[in-house]
Structures are given as C-alpha cells and as structure tokens.
C-alpha cells in the first residue's frame, strides 16, 4: 500500500469512519511492536506501549498534516510514548527470556538440522545473545538509533524526524552508540 | 601501530553491524487490533459524553482553589507570626486603589457611574486590582522570606514568583490528573 492509500484511509477516518483505522493498525502494528520490543525488551510492555501509541495516534489524527509519511509520524508517537513510559518505570523489567527471543530468529534461518549446522546454530545464538544483551545495556536513545538504522534500515533523516533531533545530532549519536556497543561487547568477552 | 589498531577496531565494528542486521520477529496476539479498536471506541464514547461545561467548570475550580490556597497560606503565616496581615484592610485598600486609579475618576462619583463608564474603565479597574493583588501577595511572601532570613528582600521577590507559579501548576496538575484517573477508571 502506498502513502496515498494511507492518506485516503486517514481521510475516511476523519470523516467519521472509525473502523477504517483497523486497516492502519493491521498494517503497522507488527512493525511498531517489534520496534518498541527491541528498545524495551519486554513483551508485555511493548504490547502496552504499542496499544497506547495507536490510541494516541487515532486521537491526534487531525494533527497529521502529511508532511512526512504516516509510518514516520506513527514511529514518532511510538518513540515518544516508549521514552516516557520507560522513564516513568525508571527501570526495565525483562520478563522476556533473552534465549527465547533469540531462538525465534534462528528458527527462521535454519531449516535442516545436520550436526554441523546445529553446532553453528548454537555458536550463532550465543553470539546474537551477546549482541542483544550489549544493546540492552545502552541508553534507550542509543538503542533506538542503532535499531532504527541497522535493523529497520531507516535513513538518518527519518531517524531525525522520529526522534525530533537534527541530522548532525543523529549522526553523532549513531557514531557514539556504535562505539559504546563495540566496547560493551569487547568487555563482556 | 595506531593505524593497525584503528583498522582492527573498524573491522570489528563492521562485523558487528552486519550481525546487528540479523533481526528476529515476534508475533502479536490475534486479537490485538480488536483490543485497540475497543479502547478507541470506549475513549471516543467517553469523550463525546464529556460536557464542555465540565471543562470550563474545572478551570474555574482551579482558579478558585488557587486563590483559596493563597489565602490559606497567608493565614497560616499570620498564625505562626511570620507576617502581620489584615485581610479586611487589604481588600478595601485593593478596591480603593483600583477605583482611584481610573483615569476618568474625576467624573465618577458613584458606583453606578463607574459601571456605566464602559468597558475601558472596567478594564482599567480590573487591571489595577490584579496588579494590586499580585504585588500585595508578592510583598507578603517577600516579607515572610525576609523575616525567616532565608532570602534577602531582593531575591525573595523572584523566588516568590517562582513559588506562586509552582502552586498554580500544582493545582492544575492535581485537577488534570484526578480528571484523567476518573475518565480512565470508567
């Protein structure tokens, strides 16, 4: 679906067709949920923040002027909701077992189970676990920048728009976050 | 040596970033969209039921509470002997100063004339009362702080402005939070 489709759906919603919002939720909920989950590492929190973000977006839809894409605008709401929720909680609660969620990805990548592959899979999983744990030790803002740029392939301009920072700030933060992540992983080895 | 270290560091970073791109996926529950739509419907229904008069009432209540709180504070300070304050004198002097500040005061001898003198005069009067009230409150609070020797008379004025704003914001926050809790608990 293109942005124009989103614009049409938004127009329908603003004209009073509340149920059309379901299309946007179906389209973007998984994307937003995964983005939040990667930052807060807690499934329940991520679900709650995703719900809150969509509810907030619905009631702020009048303010959406279409200057950016709807998804970028939604990301921005999700980003702000995540930051404020996590700051209120003051600490992260990791109910999600890190082993469990790393194995989700591995299951996708490995189809056959020869001995070599199983060994490689174990090494791979351990390594990914290290990276994810290192990511969790970074600041929320750093995690956001790394996740958005490297895992969600967002441009610097998009990240700047979502986080409300200027381009040079995002570049600097990206550079520093990368360094910090490398250092944390090095120290953990 | 340094350049070798840098290259090693950069290689590690590149490797790491490639690995970072290895992502994973989690699925949301099937009824997730339904839950969001239910929340939206519930909130929409609630918002449509909220009477605009309630909002106006809340704002008025907020100002009334702020004024009551200010008076309460002044009385408490009087009771504990930090300030010397006579409320009756203060009210009469405030009204008097507002009245006498009118530009057209020469032509006005009765309250009726004053009321009939129009918007401009009323506005002047209210502005004057507000100014007088505000400066009285500031003087009182300034006097208090100077008495307890926390601040000097010069900087206490500034501190008082901050305190006054903080008190107003506190009441505003209290009202909004209570109202939000009331709405979300429905």
């Amino acid at each position: 679906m293109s942005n124009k489709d989103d614009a049409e759906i938004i127009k329908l919603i603003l004209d009073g067709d509340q149920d059309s919002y379901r299309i946007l939720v179906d389209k973007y909920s998984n994307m937003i949920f995964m983005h939040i989950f990667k930052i807060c590492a807690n499934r329940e929190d991520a679900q709650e923040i995703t719900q809150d973000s969509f509810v907030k977006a619905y009631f702020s839809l009048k303010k959406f002027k279409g200057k950016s894409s709807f998804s970028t605008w939604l990301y921005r709401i999700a980003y702000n909701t995540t930051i404020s929720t996590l700051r209120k909680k003051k600490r992260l609660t990791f109910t999600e077992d890190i082993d469990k969620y790393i194995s989700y990805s591995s299951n996708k990548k490995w189809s056959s189970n020869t001995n070599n592959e199983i060994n490689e899979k174990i090494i791979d999983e351990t390594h990914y676990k290290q990276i994810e744990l290192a990511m969790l030790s970074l600041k929320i803002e750093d995690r956001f920048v790394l996740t958005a740029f490297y895992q969600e392939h967002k441009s610097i301009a998009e990240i700047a728009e979502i986080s409300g920072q200027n381009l040079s700030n995002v570049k600097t933060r990206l550079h520093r976050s990368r360094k910090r992540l490398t250092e944390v992983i090095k120290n953990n080895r | 040596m340094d350049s070798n270290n840098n290259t090693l560091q950069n290689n590690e970073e590149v490797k790491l970033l490639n690995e970072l791109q290895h992502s994973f996926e989690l699925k949301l529950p099937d009824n997730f969209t339904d839950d969001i739509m239910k929340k939206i419907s519930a909130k929409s229904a609630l918002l449509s039921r909220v009477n605009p008069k309630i909002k106006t009432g809340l704002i008025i209540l907020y100002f009334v509470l702020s004024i009551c709180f200010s008076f309460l504070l002044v009385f408490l300070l009087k009771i504990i002997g930090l300030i010397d304050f006579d409320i009756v004198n203060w009210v009469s002097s405030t009204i008097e100063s507002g009245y006498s500040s009118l530009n057209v005061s020469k032509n006005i001898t009765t309250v009726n004339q004053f009321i009939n003198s129009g918007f401009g005069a009323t506005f002047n009067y209210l502005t004057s009362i507000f100014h007088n009230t505000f400066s009285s409150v500031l003087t009182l609070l300034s006097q208090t702080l100077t008495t307890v020797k926390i601040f000097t008379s010069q900087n206490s004025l500034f501190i008082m402005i901050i305190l006054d704003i903080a008190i107003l914001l506190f009441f505003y926050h209290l009202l909004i939070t209570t109202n939000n809790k009331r709405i979300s608990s429905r």
Side-chain angles (χ1 to χ4, degrees):
Chain A
M1 246 187 235
S2 67
N3 287 330
K4 199 182 171 188
D5 292 327
D6 284 350
E8 281 167 7
I9 295 165
I10 290 164
K11 196 176 176 301
L12 282 174
I13 299 163
L14 292 175
D15 288 344
D17 182 7
Q18 193 186 72
D19 214 44
S20 292
Y21 193 60
R22 185 181 285 276
I23 303 167
L24 294 177
V25 178
D26 281 337
K27 188 177 169 184
Y28 294 112
S29 57
N30 257 311
M31 187 179 82
I32 295 292
F33 167 68
M34 277 312 296
H35 172 76
I36 296 169
F37 179 75
K38 282 170 189 170
I39 295 172
C40 73
N42 180 303
R43 188 196 280 261
E44 284 76 31
D45 281 351
Q47 277 184 17
E48 198 185 312
I49 297 168
T50 310
Q51 279 197 351
D52 286 349
S53 304
F54 274 101
V55 172
K56 272 183 196 171
Y58 178 85
F59 288 102
S60 310
L61 220 48
K62 278 179 196 165
K63 292 177 196 164
F64 176 66
K65 301 289 177 206
K67 285 177 187 168
S68 61
S69 67
F70 177 71
S71 66
T72 305
W73 184 73
L74 198 58
Y75 260 101
R76 180 161 192 166
I77 292 176
Y79 172 77
N80 289 333
T81 313
T82 309
I83 297 277
S84 62
T85 308
L86 293 182
R87 277 187 187 151
K88 267 182 211 164
K89 291 197 169 189
K90 285 184 183 166
R91 66 184 181 86
L92 295 173
T93 46
F94 300 106
T95 56
E96 190 73 25
D97 184 4
I98 202 107
D99 290 305
K100 195 172 144 194
Y101 84 75
I102 294 297
S103 66
Y104 279 94
S105 56
S106 307
N107 288 342
K108 278 182 74 183
K109 275 205 155 185
W110 303 83
S111 48
S112 57
N113 281 326
T114 63
N115 280 343
N116 275 347
E117 282 188 347
I118 287 171
N119 283 339
E120 276 180 55
K121 183 183 167 184
I122 291 166
I123 294 166
D124 225 23
E125 279 184 9
T126 316
H127 194 59
Y128 294 140
K129 191 159 67 176
Q130 272 182 347
I131 296 172
E132 294 298 339
L133 283 172
M135 283 279 278
L136 294 178
S137 71
L138 300 179
K139 282 182 189 168
I140 303 167
E141 289 85 355
D142 292 344
R143 248 179 285 159
F144 159 73
V145 171
L146 288 173
T147 305
F149 192 77
Y150 291 107
Q151 295 186 332
E152 290 161 356
H153 311 291
K154 298 217 171 290
S155 67
I156 300 278
E158 274 179 302
I159 296 172
E161 197 167 345
I162 292 167
S163 60
Q165 295 176 42
N166 61 39
L167 290 176
S168 57
N169 280 354
V170 173
K171 281 179 194 168
T172 313
R173 188 172 274 280
L174 194 60
H175 177 72
R176 285 182 186 161
S177 314
R178 232 163 28 205
K179 291 268 177 209
R180 275 185 207 127
L181 185 66
T182 317
E183 278 165 24
V184 174
I185 290 175
K186 254 184 172 180
N187 293 338
N188 288 348
R189 273 176 190 162
Chain B
M1 188 70 181
D2 275 353
S3 66
N4 279 345
N5 277 343
N6 280 342
T7 317
L8 270 175
Q9 175 94 0
N10 285 340
N11 283 342
E12 272 184 34
E13 269 187 48
V14 170
K15 196 179 157 212
L16 175 71
L17 297 176
N18 285 332
E19 285 164 347
L20 248 182
Q21 291 178 33
H22 167 94
S23 194
F24 52 90
E25 282 215 18
L26 288 178
K27 286 283 168 206
L28 282 166
D30 291 337
N31 57 351
F32 191 75
T33 306
D34 291 336
D35 285 347
I36 291 177
M37 295 311 291
K38 272 180 203 164
K39 271 192 176 183
I40 289 170
S41 299
K43 202 172 172 182
S44 296
L46 198 67
L47 286 174
S48 64
R49 262 188 280 151
V50 173
N51 193 330
K53 281 179 185 172
I54 293 174
K55 284 182 188 169
T56 317
L58 275 174
I59 293 167
I60 293 168
L61 185 65
Y62 150 65
F63 278 111
V64 170
L65 276 176
S66 301
I67 293 164
C68 289
F69 185 79
S70 299
F71 275 109
L72 186 72
L73 191 72
V74 168
F75 277 119
L76 281 173
L77 293 174
K78 192 186 172 173
I79 288 166
I80 57 175
L82 284 176
I83 53 167
D84 184 21
F85 181 68
D86 187 342
I87 188 79
V88 180
N89 273 341
W90 177 70
V91 171
S92 61
S93 71
T94 303
I95 293 170
E96 198 183 320
S97 75
Y99 188 79
S100 62
S101 71
L102 291 170
N103 292 332
V104 285
S105 58
K106 282 177 193 171
N107 303 325
I108 296 173
T109 48
T110 64
V111 176
N112 272 345
Q113 275 177 320
F114 162 67
I115 292 166
N116 293 332
S117 66
F119 176 78
T122 314
F123 181 74
N124 276 347
Y125 181 72
L126 290 174
T127 313
S128 174
I129 285 183
F130 176 76
H131 175 75
N132 193 268
T133 310
F134 192 64
S135 59
S136 298
V137 170
L138 287 178
T139 311
L140 271 171
L141 294 170
S142 168
Q143 183 190 342
T144 311
L145 288 183
T146 314
T147 311
V148 293
K149 304 217 184 292
I150 299 170
F151 306 105
T152 64
S153 58
Q154 281 157 339
N155 68 14
S156 61
L157 191 74
F158 173 71
I159 302 290
M160 275 307 100
I161 293 170
I162 304 279
L163 269 177
D164 207 44
I165 292 168
I167 290 165
L168 293 178
L169 282 176
F170 169 74
F171 274 115
Y172 181 74
H173 176 76
L174 201 72
L175 277 170
I176 296 298
T177 315
T178 316
N179 192 42
N180 284 347
K181 274 183 187 163
R182 190 175 55 84
I183 287 172
S184 57
S185 65
R186 283 189 189 177

